[in-house]
Amino acid sequence: MLFDIFLVLSIGAGLLMAFNLGANDVANSMASAVGARAITVKQAVYIAGILNFVGAVFLGSHVTATISKGIINPDIINDPTIIMLGMFAALVSASLWVLVATLTSLPVSSTHSIVGSILGFGLVAGGPGVVNWGTMISVVLSWIISPFFGGLIAYGVFTLIRSRILIRPNLIESSRRWAPRWIAFTMLLLMLSFMYKTPAGKSLHLPLPVSLAITLGVCAVAWLLGRIVINRLCDKMEDSVDGVECIFRRMQIGTSCYVAVSQGANDVANAIGPVAAIFMIAKHHQLLPKADVPIFLLVIGGAGIAMGIAIFGRRVIATVGERITTLTNTRGFAVDFGAATTVLAASSMGMPVSTTHAAVGSVVGVGLARGFAAVDFRVLGKIVLYWLLTVPIAAFTSIVIFQILRWTLT
């Protein structure tokens, strides 16, 4: 009876967590596009909501498994009821912290929040030995890696755009050559991710030469179509920076969609991972070594993310897209490319990378490409402070909730 009650409660808590991460860090997928005036806030809410849902439902299962089983070793905690109470406490704790951050318009990592919460109850329930410190180290490294590599890639992409297009004497002709190449390269990353890292791609069981041939073929088609469209656009453009920005505005909408799908795939684990663990315990009265994550849980996670974006998403969009540095469409394209590449690479390895850190790191990267004065370090300082507070606050809150539940129910 207790298992059934907590299964229902945990689904509600998972929905709440999904709502909060939709309101906070998932909104980052559209922040650069809104900041660069490529799309309106209303359009961003619709696009991000739909694509995050698609990413969560169809691409999110492999990372979900990492969150539910990777942070602590459940074999040391013999009582499945304790694990169930702890996962529930972790969900509630992480939800509350992300909600507080959203109401103050600051982006925090839902990944930090849920990992810190699971770490908190794990330490109380089983002591330091219950924590998979090797996994924790890889998670902590991803927190450093994601902003660093996001910023580095975004810096490199924008520097390349500037050197190959923006400072050339013939801007539109340079755009005509380079824009289709960026479209093809973006398609290459998408196809490789689909072929090797998604359940749908893996189910095809294609030999390596065949999958590579299909990927390269799709990239060639994307390059050709991109060239045709870009040529038509260039014929209507004046040879000016505004003309280049207009071309990249179209491309940026595509990359923002690319970020939204990858975010849904990666971040749904933060809401559904603990629910999946509780589902297993309720069904089998133990946490099995391996089990499929039910599709209805991913649907609930995707729906919660979409609702969060719709209701509170614009708060964090304003901070990331407008307050750290001034974004244009070329800079926004570089931001999206850097963040999406970092998130997809980490997600494909089953690493619960922080989308928020990758996005903010990418924004800072393109800002620094124009010098230190281009970045508002006061806003960045507040964001980093919240990042540093996330794990200890989430862990402490989780411990308090877990102890209250344990003393009351066991």
Side-chain angles (χ1 to χ4, degrees):
M1 184 67 179
L2 184 65
F3 289 120
D4 294 334
I5 292 173
F6 264 86
L7 175 58
V8 174
L9 291 175
S10 69
I11 291 174
L15 182 63
L16 177 64
M17 182 63 193
F19 175 88
N20 283 310
L21 70 88
N24 194 291
D25 55 333
V26 177
N28 294 337
S29 62
M30 293 291 146
S32 64
V34 173
R37 307 290 187 267
I39 54 176
T40 65
V41 172
K42 188 175 181 180
Q43 289 170 330
V45 166
Y46 281 119
I47 295 170
I50 293 170
L51 293 182
N52 271 279
F53 180 84
V54 171
V57 174
F58 296 104
L59 308 177
S61 61
H62 58 292
V63 180
T64 305
T66 301
I67 284 286
S68 64
K69 299 294 296 293
I71 307 304
I72 61 171
N73 183 0
D75 294 336
I76 297 178
I77 305 173
N78 294 321
D79 188 351
T81 305
I82 295 296
I83 298 176
M84 181 180 68
L85 297 180
M87 288 294 181
F88 180 77
L91 270 177
V92 176
S93 167
S95 298
L96 291 175
W97 171 245
V98 177
L99 179 62
V100 168
T102 301
L103 294 178
T104 53
S105 301
L106 289 173
V108 296
S109 169
S110 60
T111 309
H112 277 219
S113 303
I114 198 67
V115 167
S117 298
I118 292 175
L119 174 69
F121 103 80
L123 286 172
V124 171
V130 79
V131 179
N132 288 327
W133 293 108
T135 303
M136 278 301 301
I137 289 172
S138 69
V139 169
V140 171
L141 285 176
S142 80
W143 298 342
I144 301 168
I145 288 169
S146 45
F148 178 75
F149 277 99
L152 193 65
I153 295 169
Y155 180 96
V157 169
F158 179 66
T159 301
L160 195 59
I161 292 171
R162 183 167 56 186
S163 65
R164 299 297 179 185
I165 300 175
L166 293 176
I167 62 172
R168 293 296 174 110
N170 194 331
L171 298 173
I172 294 300
E173 278 306 310
S174 299
S175 300
R176 200 189 296 272
R177 285 196 304 274
W178 278 94
R181 297 175 188 177
W182 283 116
I183 292 172
F185 194 47
T186 302
M187 188 57 67
L188 174 69
L189 294 173
L190 276 172
M191 285 300 296
L192 288 177
S193 299
F194 174 78
M195 288 286 186
Y196 295 109
K197 305 303 176 188
T198 67
K202 289 178 180 177
S203 66
L204 297 175
H205 302 295
L206 295 175
L208 179 63
V210 175
S211 59
L212 286 178
I214 293 173
T215 299
L216 293 175
V218 171
C219 291
V221 171
W223 175 82
L224 183 61
L225 293 176
R227 186 178 171 83
I228 293 170
V229 173
I230 296 297
N231 277 337
R232 289 181 180 174
L233 279 175
C234 288
D235 290 340
K236 303 174 185 175
M237 298 294 171
E238 294 182 4
D239 192 27
S240 65
V241 172
D242 287 342
V244 176
E245 294 294 339
C246 188
I247 292 169
F248 274 82
R249 184 177 302 140
R250 272 79 168 178
M251 294 168 58
Q252 194 192 358
I253 294 171
T255 53
S256 293
C257 294
Y258 168 41
V259 178
V261 172
S262 65
Q263 275 187 174
N266 197 55
D267 287 4
V268 71
N270 298 332
I272 297 305
V275 182
I278 294 171
F279 180 82
M280 276 187 258
I281 293 170
K283 192 173 180 183
H284 305 287
H285 290 194
Q286 60 179 320
L287 198 59
L288 299 175
K290 282 189 176 181
D292 293 332
V293 178
I295 189 71
F296 82 89
L297 290 182
L298 294 174
V299 171
I300 289 172
I305 290 170
M307 286 192 291
I309 293 171
I311 296 174
F312 282 144
R314 62 190 65 204
R315 289 172 176 266
V316 181
I317 285 177
T319 300
V320 178
E322 298 172 355
R323 294 177 58 195
I324 298 175
T325 192
T326 303
L327 293 177
T328 61
N329 297 116
T330 48
R331 295 171 202 154
F333 175 83
V335 167
D336 288 343
F337 199 91
T341 304
T342 303
V343 169
L344 274 175
S347 176
S348 66
M349 293 184 287
M351 184 182 292
V353 66
S354 165
T355 307
T356 304
H357 288 199
V360 172
S362 297
V363 171
V364 175
V366 296
L368 291 177
R370 295 182 296 124
F372 283 93
V375 178
D376 189 332
F377 285 98
R378 289 176 299 177
V379 175
L380 185 61
K382 290 179 184 176
I383 293 172
V384 172
L385 176 63
Y386 265 60
W387 288 1
L388 295 175
L389 290 174
T390 293
V391 170
I393 287 181
F396 177 75
T397 309
S398 175
I399 289 170
V400 171
I401 296 171
F402 172 68
Q403 289 290 51
I404 291 173
L405 288 173
R406 186 160 69 168
W407 290 335
T408 306
L409 299 174
T410 62

mmCIF file of all heavy atoms in Angstrom, residues 282-327:
data_model
loop_
_atom_site.group_PDB
_atom_site.id
_atom_site.type_symbol
_atom_site.label_atom_id
_atom_site.label_comp_id
_atom_site.label_asym_id
_atom_site.label_seq_id
_atom_site.Cartn_x
_atom_site.Cartn_y
_atom_site.Cartn_z
ATOM 1 N N ALA A 282 8.198 0.127 -6.557
ATOM 2 C CA ALA A 282 6.776 -0.135 -6.361
ATOM 3 C C ALA A 282 6.328 -1.392 -7.102
ATOM 4 O O ALA A 282 5.471 -2.141 -6.624
ATOM 5 C CB ALA A 282 5.965 1.076 -6.825
ATOM 6 N N LYS A 283 6.941 -1.645 -8.254
ATOM 7 C CA LYS A 283 6.517 -2.769 -9.085
ATOM 8 C C LYS A 283 7.178 -4.074 -8.655
ATOM 9 O O LYS A 283 6.540 -5.141 -8.619
ATOM 10 C CB LYS A 283 6.865 -2.472 -10.548
ATOM 11 C CG LYS A 283 6.226 -3.407 -11.547
ATOM 12 C CD LYS A 283 6.495 -2.925 -12.967
ATOM 13 C CE LYS A 283 5.852 -3.883 -13.975
ATOM 14 N NZ LYS A 283 6.158 -3.463 -15.367
ATOM 15 N N HIS A 284 8.478 -4.005 -8.341
ATOM 16 C CA HIS A 284 9.236 -5.226 -8.033
ATOM 17 C C HIS A 284 9.696 -5.303 -6.575
ATOM 18 O O HIS A 284 10.361 -6.264 -6.188
ATOM 19 C CB HIS A 284 10.462 -5.308 -8.945
ATOM 20 C CG HIS A 284 10.133 -5.237 -10.402
ATOM 21 N ND1 HIS A 284 9.542 -6.276 -11.092
ATOM 22 C CD2 HIS A 284 10.296 -4.238 -11.310
ATOM 23 C CE1 HIS A 284 9.366 -5.929 -12.367
ATOM 24 N NE2 HIS A 284 9.806 -4.691 -12.525
ATOM 25 N N HIS A 285 9.436 -4.270 -5.786
ATOM 26 C CA HIS A 285 9.875 -4.160 -4.391
ATOM 27 C C HIS A 285 11.399 -4.225 -4.280
ATOM 28 O O HIS A 285 11.946 -4.656 -3.259
ATOM 29 C CB HIS A 285 9.207 -5.228 -3.507
ATOM 30 C CG HIS A 285 7.745 -4.979 -3.318
ATOM 31 N ND1 HIS A 285 6.992 -5.612 -2.366
ATOM 32 C CD2 HIS A 285 6.899 -4.152 -3.958
ATOM 33 C CE1 HIS A 285 5.734 -5.196 -2.434
ATOM 34 N NE2 HIS A 285 5.658 -4.310 -3.395
ATOM 35 N N GLN A 286 12.080 -3.861 -5.309
ATOM 36 C CA GLN A 286 13.536 -3.740 -5.292
ATOM 37 C C GLN A 286 13.972 -2.896 -6.491
ATOM 38 O O GLN A 286 13.218 -2.742 -7.458
ATOM 39 C CB GLN A 286 14.202 -5.114 -5.370
ATOM 40 C CG GLN A 286 13.840 -5.892 -6.620
ATOM 41 C CD GLN A 286 14.532 -7.235 -6.664
ATOM 42 O OE1 GLN A 286 15.691 -7.342 -6.297
ATOM 43 N NE2 GLN A 286 13.817 -8.255 -7.119
ATOM 44 N N LEU A 287 15.196 -2.333 -6.372
ATOM 45 C CA LEU A 287 15.742 -1.545 -7.476
ATOM 46 C C LEU A 287 16.555 -2.481 -8.362
ATOM 47 O O LEU A 287 17.648 -2.910 -7.991
ATOM 48 C CB LEU A 287 16.619 -0.415 -6.925
ATOM 49 C CG LEU A 287 16.921 0.743 -7.866
ATOM 50 C CD1 LEU A 287 15.645 1.419 -8.340
ATOM 51 C CD2 LEU A 287 17.814 1.770 -7.175
ATOM 52 N N LEU A 288 15.991 -2.835 -9.512
ATOM 53 C CA LEU A 288 16.639 -3.812 -10.383
ATOM 54 C C LEU A 288 17.875 -3.217 -11.053
ATOM 55 O O LEU A 288 17.965 -2.001 -11.260
ATOM 56 C CB LEU A 288 15.649 -4.272 -11.455
ATOM 57 C CG LEU A 288 14.378 -4.951 -10.934
ATOM 58 C CD1 LEU A 288 13.440 -5.251 -12.101
ATOM 59 C CD2 LEU A 288 14.719 -6.233 -10.181
ATOM 60 N N PRO A 289 18.845 -4.102 -11.403
ATOM 61 C CA PRO A 289 20.041 -3.601 -12.093
ATOM 62 C C PRO A 289 19.716 -2.909 -13.404
ATOM 63 O O PRO A 289 20.315 -1.907 -13.751
ATOM 64 C CB PRO A 289 20.859 -4.880 -12.338
ATOM 65 C CG PRO A 289 20.361 -5.854 -11.333
ATOM 66 C CD PRO A 289 18.924 -5.536 -11.115
ATOM 67 N N LYS A 290 18.730 -3.471 -14.143
ATOM 68 C CA LYS A 290 18.354 -2.869 -15.417
ATOM 69 C C LYS A 290 16.841 -2.959 -15.605
ATOM 70 O O LYS A 290 16.237 -3.974 -15.276
ATOM 71 C CB LYS A 290 19.035 -3.581 -16.595
ATOM 72 C CG LYS A 290 20.483 -3.201 -16.792
ATOM 73 C CD LYS A 290 21.010 -3.778 -18.101
ATOM 74 C CE LYS A 290 22.441 -3.312 -18.327
ATOM 75 N NZ LYS A 290 22.979 -3.833 -19.611
ATOM 76 N N ALA A 291 16.275 -1.910 -16.094
ATOM 77 C CA ALA A 291 14.841 -1.929 -16.411
ATOM 78 C C ALA A 291 14.555 -0.792 -17.376
ATOM 79 O O ALA A 291 15.183 0.261 -17.312
ATOM 80 C CB ALA A 291 14.003 -1.772 -15.142
ATOM 81 N N ASP A 292 13.619 -1.043 -18.286
ATOM 82 C CA ASP A 292 13.241 0.008 -19.228
ATOM 83 C C ASP A 292 12.453 1.098 -18.507
ATOM 84 O O ASP A 292 11.648 0.812 -17.617
ATOM 85 C CB ASP A 292 12.385 -0.569 -20.355
ATOM 86 C CG ASP A 292 13.189 -1.516 -21.238
ATOM 87 O OD1 ASP A 292 14.416 -1.317 -21.332
ATOM 88 O OD2 ASP A 292 12.585 -2.436 -21.811
ATOM 89 N N VAL A 293 12.722 2.331 -18.898
ATOM 90 C CA VAL A 293 11.945 3.442 -18.354
ATOM 91 C C VAL A 293 10.637 3.508 -19.135
ATOM 92 O O VAL A 293 10.657 3.644 -20.356
ATOM 93 C CB VAL A 293 12.714 4.768 -18.488
ATOM 94 C CG1 VAL A 293 11.868 5.924 -17.973
ATOM 95 C CG2 VAL A 293 14.035 4.695 -17.729
ATOM 96 N N PRO A 294 9.471 3.373 -18.460
ATOM 97 C CA PRO A 294 8.190 3.382 -19.186
ATOM 98 C C PRO A 294 8.010 4.671 -19.977
ATOM 99 O O PRO A 294 8.346 5.757 -19.495
ATOM 100 C CB PRO A 294 7.154 3.258 -18.067
ATOM 101 C CG PRO A 294 7.896 2.710 -16.903
ATOM 102 C CD PRO A 294 9.294 3.209 -17.017
ATOM 103 N N ILE A 295 7.456 4.527 -21.151
ATOM 104 C CA ILE A 295 7.291 5.686 -22.035
ATOM 105 C C ILE A 295 6.351 6.718 -21.421
ATOM 106 O O ILE A 295 6.516 7.922 -21.624
ATOM 107 C CB ILE A 295 6.778 5.231 -23.422
ATOM 108 C CG1 ILE A 295 6.824 6.403 -24.416
ATOM 109 C CG2 ILE A 295 5.388 4.671 -23.355
ATOM 110 C CD1 ILE A 295 8.191 6.808 -24.824
ATOM 111 N N PHE A 296 5.376 6.246 -20.598
ATOM 112 C CA PHE A 296 4.431 7.224 -20.046
ATOM 113 C C PHE A 296 5.122 8.175 -19.068
ATOM 114 O O PHE A 296 4.723 9.328 -18.908
ATOM 115 C CB PHE A 296 3.227 6.509 -19.402
ATOM 116 C CG PHE A 296 3.454 6.020 -17.994
ATOM 117 C CD1 PHE A 296 3.193 6.839 -16.903
ATOM 118 C CD2 PHE A 296 3.926 4.733 -17.762
ATOM 119 C CE1 PHE A 296 3.383 6.385 -15.608
ATOM 120 C CE2 PHE A 296 4.117 4.269 -16.477
ATOM 121 C CZ PHE A 296 3.856 5.096 -15.390
ATOM 122 N N LEU A 297 6.219 7.687 -18.414
ATOM 123 C CA LEU A 297 6.963 8.584 -17.521
ATOM 124 C C LEU A 297 7.685 9.669 -18.324
ATOM 125 O O LEU A 297 7.751 10.830 -17.911
ATOM 126 C CB LEU A 297 7.974 7.786 -16.696
ATOM 127 C CG LEU A 297 7.400 6.867 -15.620
ATOM 128 C CD1 LEU A 297 8.522 6.171 -14.856
ATOM 129 C CD2 LEU A 297 6.533 7.669 -14.635
ATOM 130 N N LEU A 298 8.243 9.274 -19.489
ATOM 131 C CA LEU A 298 8.890 10.277 -20.341
ATOM 132 C C LEU A 298 7.877 11.276 -20.889
ATOM 133 O O LEU A 298 8.168 12.464 -21.028
ATOM 134 C CB LEU A 298 9.626 9.577 -21.492
ATOM 135 C CG LEU A 298 10.826 8.702 -21.078
ATOM 136 C CD1 LEU A 298 11.370 7.943 -22.287
ATOM 137 C CD2 LEU A 298 11.928 9.535 -20.439
ATOM 138 N N VAL A 299 6.670 10.791 -21.184
ATOM 139 C CA VAL A 299 5.607 11.698 -21.651
ATOM 140 C C VAL A 299 5.240 12.693 -20.554
ATOM 141 O O VAL A 299 5.087 13.901 -20.808
ATOM 142 C CB VAL A 299 4.367 10.891 -22.099
ATOM 143 C CG1 VAL A 299 3.189 11.826 -22.378
ATOM 144 C CG2 VAL A 299 4.692 10.062 -23.336
ATOM 145 N N ILE A 300 5.111 12.191 -19.323
ATOM 146 C CA ILE A 300 4.809 13.093 -18.197
ATOM 147 C C ILE A 300 5.924 14.126 -18.036
ATOM 148 O O ILE A 300 5.671 15.328 -17.837
ATOM 149 C CB ILE A 300 4.623 12.282 -16.897
ATOM 150 C CG1 ILE A 300 3.319 11.490 -16.966
ATOM 151 C CG2 ILE A 300 4.630 13.197 -15.677
ATOM 152 C CD1 ILE A 300 3.129 10.513 -15.812
ATOM 153 N N GLY A 301 7.183 13.666 -18.129
ATOM 154 C CA GLY A 301 8.305 14.594 -18.019
ATOM 155 C C GLY A 301 8.299 15.635 -19.122
ATOM 156 O O GLY A 301 8.481 16.837 -18.864
ATOM 157 N N GLY A 302 8.062 15.202 -20.341
ATOM 158 C CA GLY A 302 8.019 16.140 -21.460
ATOM 159 C C GLY A 302 6.886 17.139 -21.325
ATOM 160 O O GLY A 302 7.046 18.336 -21.608
ATOM 161 N N ALA A 303 5.714 16.676 -20.856
ATOM 162 C CA ALA A 303 4.567 17.575 -20.689
ATOM 163 C C ALA A 303 4.844 18.597 -19.584
ATOM 164 O O ALA A 303 4.509 19.784 -19.715
ATOM 165 C CB ALA A 303 3.316 16.752 -20.350
ATOM 166 N N GLY A 304 5.469 18.141 -18.498
ATOM 167 C CA GLY A 304 5.808 19.060 -17.407
ATOM 168 C C GLY A 304 6.786 20.131 -17.859
ATOM 169 O O GLY A 304 6.640 21.318 -17.513
ATOM 170 N N ILE A 305 7.788 19.731 -18.629
ATOM 171 C CA ILE A 305 8.760 20.693 -19.155
ATOM 172 C C ILE A 305 8.057 21.744 -20.013
ATOM 173 O O ILE A 305 8.299 22.954 -19.882
ATOM 174 C CB ILE A 305 9.839 19.958 -19.978
ATOM 175 C CG1 ILE A 305 10.745 19.127 -19.059
ATOM 176 C CG2 ILE A 305 10.687 20.955 -20.778
ATOM 177 C CD1 ILE A 305 11.687 18.191 -19.800
ATOM 178 N N ALA A 306 7.163 21.287 -20.875
ATOM 179 C CA ALA A 306 6.449 22.220 -21.761
ATOM 180 C C ALA A 306 5.604 23.204 -20.959
ATOM 181 O O ALA A 306 5.554 24.405 -21.261
ATOM 182 C CB ALA A 306 5.583 21.419 -22.739
ATOM 183 N N MET A 307 4.936 22.723 -19.909
ATOM 184 C CA MET A 307 4.121 23.622 -19.081
ATOM 185 C C MET A 307 4.990 24.648 -18.359
ATOM 186 O O MET A 307 4.625 25.825 -18.248
ATOM 187 C CB MET A 307 3.326 22.789 -18.060
ATOM 188 C CG MET A 307 2.156 22.036 -18.645
ATOM 189 S SD MET A 307 1.059 21.362 -17.364
ATOM 190 C CE MET A 307 2.115 20.098 -16.654
ATOM 191 N N GLY A 308 6.138 24.206 -17.863
ATOM 192 C CA GLY A 308 7.038 25.135 -17.166
ATOM 193 C C GLY A 308 7.520 26.244 -18.072
ATOM 194 O O GLY A 308 7.580 27.420 -17.680
ATOM 195 N N ILE A 309 7.875 25.880 -19.306
ATOM 196 C CA ILE A 309 8.311 26.900 -20.274
ATOM 197 C C ILE A 309 7.195 27.906 -20.527
ATOM 198 O O ILE A 309 7.418 29.118 -20.572
ATOM 199 C CB ILE A 309 8.724 26.218 -21.591
ATOM 200 C CG1 ILE A 309 9.978 25.367 -21.380
ATOM 201 C CG2 ILE A 309 8.977 27.257 -22.678
ATOM 202 C CD1 ILE A 309 10.322 24.496 -22.570
ATOM 203 N N ALA A 310 5.971 27.391 -20.685
ATOM 204 C CA ALA A 310 4.850 28.265 -21.025
ATOM 205 C C ALA A 310 4.527 29.254 -19.917
ATOM 206 O O ALA A 310 4.193 30.413 -20.180
ATOM 207 C CB ALA A 310 3.619 27.409 -21.343
ATOM 208 N N ILE A 311 4.647 28.823 -18.650
ATOM 209 C CA ILE A 311 4.184 29.669 -17.548
ATOM 210 C C ILE A 311 5.285 30.596 -17.011
ATOM 211 O O ILE A 311 5.074 31.784 -16.801
ATOM 212 C CB ILE A 311 3.612 28.781 -16.427
ATOM 213 C CG1 ILE A 311 2.372 28.046 -16.949
ATOM 214 C CG2 ILE A 311 3.260 29.617 -15.187
ATOM 215 C CD1 ILE A 311 1.784 27.027 -16.000
ATOM 216 N N PHE A 312 6.504 30.058 -16.791
ATOM 217 C CA PHE A 312 7.559 30.867 -16.172
ATOM 218 C C PHE A 312 8.824 31.013 -17.027
ATOM 219 O O PHE A 312 9.798 31.628 -16.591
ATOM 220 C CB PHE A 312 7.976 30.248 -14.826
ATOM 221 C CG PHE A 312 7.015 30.522 -13.696
ATOM 222 C CD1 PHE A 312 6.777 29.559 -12.728
ATOM 223 C CD2 PHE A 312 6.357 31.737 -13.602
ATOM 224 C CE1 PHE A 312 5.902 29.796 -11.685
ATOM 225 C CE2 PHE A 312 5.476 31.985 -12.571
ATOM 226 C CZ PHE A 312 5.246 31.014 -11.602
ATOM 227 N N GLY A 313 8.851 30.414 -18.217
ATOM 228 C CA GLY A 313 10.098 30.339 -18.979
ATOM 229 C C GLY A 313 10.717 31.669 -19.344
ATOM 230 O O GLY A 313 11.937 31.788 -19.438
ATOM 231 N N ARG A 314 9.892 32.710 -19.527
ATOM 232 C CA ARG A 314 10.429 33.979 -20.012
ATOM 233 C C ARG A 314 11.340 34.663 -19.012
ATOM 234 O O ARG A 314 12.156 35.506 -19.389
ATOM 235 C CB ARG A 314 9.286 34.909 -20.407
ATOM 236 C CG ARG A 314 8.338 35.293 -19.294
ATOM 237 C CD ARG A 314 7.127 35.999 -19.882
ATOM 238 N NE ARG A 314 6.367 35.083 -20.740
ATOM 239 C CZ ARG A 314 5.579 35.489 -21.722
ATOM 240 N NH1 ARG A 314 5.468 36.774 -21.992
ATOM 241 N NH2 ARG A 314 4.899 34.614 -22.434
ATOM 242 N N ARG A 315 11.242 34.340 -17.729
ATOM 243 C CA ARG A 315 12.086 34.995 -16.719
ATOM 244 C C ARG A 315 13.568 34.727 -16.971
ATOM 245 O O ARG A 315 14.396 35.639 -17.003
ATOM 246 C CB ARG A 315 11.720 34.479 -15.316
ATOM 247 C CG ARG A 315 10.381 34.951 -14.802
ATOM 248 C CD ARG A 315 10.023 34.249 -13.504
ATOM 249 N NE ARG A 315 8.769 34.747 -12.940
ATOM 250 C CZ ARG A 315 8.699 35.708 -12.029
ATOM 251 N NH1 ARG A 315 9.801 36.260 -11.574
ATOM 252 N NH2 ARG A 315 7.531 36.109 -11.574
ATOM 253 N N VAL A 316 13.928 33.461 -17.144
ATOM 254 C CA VAL A 316 15.332 33.110 -17.331
ATOM 255 C C VAL A 316 15.797 33.454 -18.750
ATOM 256 O O VAL A 316 16.966 33.775 -18.964
ATOM 257 C CB VAL A 316 15.561 31.615 -17.021
ATOM 258 C CG1 VAL A 316 17.025 31.253 -17.185
ATOM 259 C CG2 VAL A 316 15.101 31.311 -15.610
ATOM 260 N N ILE A 317 14.876 33.416 -19.709
ATOM 261 C CA ILE A 317 15.219 33.831 -21.071
ATOM 262 C C ILE A 317 15.772 35.259 -21.058
ATOM 263 O O ILE A 317 16.788 35.553 -21.694
ATOM 264 C CB ILE A 317 13.975 33.748 -21.990
ATOM 265 C CG1 ILE A 317 13.672 32.286 -22.349
ATOM 266 C CG2 ILE A 317 14.172 34.575 -23.265
ATOM 267 C CD1 ILE A 317 12.420 32.105 -23.187
ATOM 268 N N ALA A 318 15.139 36.141 -20.299
ATOM 269 C CA ALA A 318 15.577 37.542 -20.258
ATOM 270 C C ALA A 318 16.979 37.662 -19.665
ATOM 271 O O ALA A 318 17.808 38.433 -20.160
ATOM 272 C CB ALA A 318 14.575 38.359 -19.439
ATOM 273 N N THR A 319 17.262 36.895 -18.602
ATOM 274 C CA THR A 319 18.579 36.990 -17.956
ATOM 275 C C THR A 319 19.682 36.482 -18.876
ATOM 276 O O THR A 319 20.697 37.165 -19.095
ATOM 277 C CB THR A 319 18.582 36.181 -16.649
ATOM 278 O OG1 THR A 319 17.596 36.709 -15.773
ATOM 279 C CG2 THR A 319 19.952 36.252 -15.975
ATOM 280 N N VAL A 320 19.516 35.292 -19.416
ATOM 281 C CA VAL A 320 20.572 34.679 -20.226
ATOM 282 C C VAL A 320 20.709 35.358 -21.589
ATOM 283 O O VAL A 320 21.821 35.565 -22.087
ATOM 284 C CB VAL A 320 20.303 33.171 -20.406
ATOM 285 C CG1 VAL A 320 21.370 32.525 -21.293
ATOM 286 C CG2 VAL A 320 20.259 32.476 -19.055
ATOM 287 N N GLY A 321 19.583 35.736 -22.179
ATOM 288 C CA GLY A 321 19.625 36.273 -23.534
ATOM 289 C C GLY A 321 19.960 37.750 -23.626
ATOM 290 O O GLY A 321 20.415 38.212 -24.677
ATOM 291 N N GLU A 322 19.740 38.498 -22.527
ATOM 292 C CA GLU A 322 19.867 39.950 -22.646
ATOM 293 C C GLU A 322 20.785 40.601 -21.617
ATOM 294 O O GLU A 322 21.308 41.692 -21.863
ATOM 295 C CB GLU A 322 18.467 40.587 -22.536
ATOM 296 C CG GLU A 322 17.528 40.132 -23.661
ATOM 297 C CD GLU A 322 16.096 40.604 -23.454
ATOM 298 O OE1 GLU A 322 15.823 41.199 -22.389
ATOM 299 O OE2 GLU A 322 15.265 40.362 -24.335
ATOM 300 N N ARG A 323 20.985 39.974 -20.456
ATOM 301 C CA ARG A 323 21.685 40.677 -19.373
ATOM 302 C C ARG A 323 23.167 40.347 -19.261
ATOM 303 O O ARG A 323 23.904 41.086 -18.627
ATOM 304 C CB ARG A 323 20.978 40.375 -18.040
ATOM 305 C CG ARG A 323 19.566 40.948 -17.964
ATOM 306 C CD ARG A 323 18.881 40.566 -16.670
ATOM 307 N NE ARG A 323 19.629 41.013 -15.507
ATOM 308 C CZ ARG A 323 19.426 40.590 -14.277
ATOM 309 N NH1 ARG A 323 18.489 39.686 -14.058
ATOM 310 N NH2 ARG A 323 20.141 41.036 -13.277
ATOM 311 N N ILE A 324 23.627 39.226 -19.812
ATOM 312 C CA ILE A 324 25.057 38.873 -19.678
ATOM 313 C C ILE A 324 25.891 39.621 -20.710
ATOM 314 O O ILE A 324 26.942 40.204 -20.396
ATOM 315 C CB ILE A 324 25.251 37.350 -19.831
ATOM 316 C CG1 ILE A 324 24.499 36.599 -18.721
ATOM 317 C CG2 ILE A 324 26.740 36.995 -19.783
ATOM 318 C CD1 ILE A 324 24.526 35.088 -18.867
ATOM 319 N N THR A 325 25.463 39.618 -21.954
ATOM 320 C CA THR A 325 26.149 40.338 -23.017
ATOM 321 C C THR A 325 25.141 40.644 -24.126
ATOM 322 O O THR A 325 24.050 40.062 -24.151
ATOM 323 C CB THR A 325 27.329 39.506 -23.575
ATOM 324 O OG1 THR A 325 28.144 40.337 -24.420
ATOM 325 C CG2 THR A 325 26.841 38.314 -24.378
ATOM 326 N N THR A 326 25.493 41.542 -25.028
ATOM 327 C CA THR A 326 24.611 41.874 -26.144
ATOM 328 C C THR A 326 24.780 40.837 -27.253
ATOM 329 O O THR A 326 25.905 40.564 -27.691
ATOM 330 C CB THR A 326 24.941 43.268 -26.700
ATOM 331 O OG1 THR A 326 24.835 44.212 -25.633
ATOM 332 C CG2 THR A 326 23.996 43.639 -27.825
ATOM 333 N N LEU A 327 23.662 40.264 -27.675
ATOM 334 C CA LEU A 327 23.719 39.225 -28.702
ATOM 335 C C LEU A 327 23.182 39.737 -30.029
ATOM 336 O O LEU A 327 22.218 40.491 -30.072
ATOM 337 C CB LEU A 327 22.898 37.999 -28.259
ATOM 338 C CG LEU A 327 23.431 37.213 -27.066
ATOM 339 C CD1 LEU A 327 22.475 36.085 -26.700
ATOM 340 C CD2 LEU A 327 24.818 36.653 -27.345
#
